[in-house]
Amino acid sequence: MEPKCVVFANQKGGVGKTTLAVHMAIHAHNMGFRTLLVDLDQQGSSTFLLTGDADRHQTEAGTALDLWYPNRTVPVQVSPIFGFDFLQASAALDAVDDDLDPAIRALRRLLVVDSGQGPYHVVVVDCPPAPGVRQMAPLMVADRLVVPVTPDALGTQGLASMIQLGLTQVRPVNPKLELRVLINRLKANSPKNRAIAQNLHDHLPEFVLPDDLYEREDVRTGLRLGKPYWEVCRDAGQQDAWYQTFDGLLEGVEGDEAQIQGIEVDAPDNADEILAQQEANRGEAVL
């Protein structure tokens, strides 16, 4: 059984891609699926959120770069904050951006890597916010591409090119790829934001997910506390929208029968220390 591979990518930064990828992994893990998050962005924002260490990606050893070396073991780690497995970023990841074929071979290793308890059920990939090998290669092995967009003129700039990339370049090679557009960071008090969001729903109904996710400071607060947004959200409508969005993205994932009822994860003994350090370092990382 191969894992379901869900890729979060856009050719525009600032759309909340990393926050959404981490929430995807949190939800899959909490539902009892063996989950691996792969940080392919050399900025290491996912790595930071999962560890509280803003400098963790300033290395080449024991990172996602090892996927490009078949003789190296895939260096999976466990997030001390959220409890699921991850493959950390390296600031040197741009060194692999010259050749697509080796990148595809490297990322296919994710489909067979063992968690120690069996194959993964879900692999989540956080791509860099720029066109290139580390955005194209994950799509060649993915089951779902999630394109986050903010409903404003700048936030939708990369959407057309991402859809065209998926439909015309990737699907002929990887016909299983499903494309989903996720409207994120909608400002509830902005008529213009609402109009753009509605326009996307009206014109791209086959791609746009039904729930829009609003701009909320609680999203970042929750992650700083080691919790998904729906556990700290005070808006019942948005709590449901966030939960249903990620639950829907798990459609078709097959897990071990005994595990898919959800699990409780014990906090590590030093969780408070980790989260305090994450808060202290927060301003140094780009989310």
Side-chain angles (χ1 to χ4, degrees), residues 48-223:
F48 167 66
L49 286 176
L50 301 185
T51 65
D53 183 353
D55 296 320
R56 184 81 159 233
H57 65 300
Q58 299 292 343
T59 181
E60 296 183 24
T63 71
L65 276 173
D66 287 348
L67 289 170
W68 273 256
Y69 298 87
N71 60 328
R72 295 183 186 177
T73 301
V74 179
V76 170
Q77 306 175 55
V78 179
S79 167
I81 297 174
F82 297 106
F84 56 79
D85 291 355
F86 73 102
L87 190 54
Q88 76 164 67
S90 168
L93 272 165
D94 56 357
V96 301
D97 285 346
D98 293 333
D99 200 336
L100 180 60
D101 287 341
I104 295 172
R105 289 194 295 271
L107 294 175
R108 281 182 177 149
R109 296 182 68 191
L110 297 172
L111 305 181
V112 297
V113 66
D114 192 271
S115 69
Q117 298 178 322
Y120 287 102
H121 302 125
V122 181
V123 174
V124 180
V125 181
D126 183 15
C127 294
V133 165
R134 281 174 292 130
Q135 199 171 86
M136 174 67 87
L139 304 187
M140 295 300 185
V141 302
D143 296 281
R144 291 194 177 107
L145 164 63
V146 181
V147 184
V149 297
T150 53
D152 54 63
L154 291 177
T156 57
Q157 277 184 347
L159 180 56
S161 57
M162 284 301 299
I163 292 176
Q164 184 175 6
L165 174 70
L167 295 181
T168 65
Q169 297 185 49
V170 178
R171 271 196 182 159
V173 180
N174 178 17
K176 68 180 179 179
L177 182 71
E178 301 174 6
L179 196 155
R180 300 288 182 266
V181 174
L182 175 53
I183 296 173
N184 189 38
R185 292 183 173 175
L186 188 154
K187 295 177 181 178
N189 60 351
S190 170
K192 187 173 182 179
N193 263 204
R194 289 180 174 275
I196 293 174
Q198 188 58 54
N199 188 53
L200 290 172
H201 282 287
D202 291 344
H203 289 86
L204 298 170
E206 69 272 38
F207 300 126
V208 179
L209 291 169
D211 291 303
D212 300 338
L213 307 185
Y214 286 18
E215 174 72 41
R216 292 285 191 270
E217 180 59 33
D218 284 351
V219 176
R220 289 170 280 279
T221 299
L223 289 176

Side-chain angles (χ1 to χ4, degrees), residues 12-45:
K12 167 74 175 63
V15 295
K17 170 183 59 65
T18 291
T19 296
L20 297 172
V22 170
H23 273 84
M24 180 80 257
I26 292 171
H27 185 56
H29 175 64
N30 287 348
M31 291 300 292
F33 295 114
R34 289 190 291 272
T35 303
L36 175 65
L37 186 145
V38 182
D39 189 354
L40 290 182
D41 187 347
Q42 69 268 26
Q43 295 182 25
S45 297

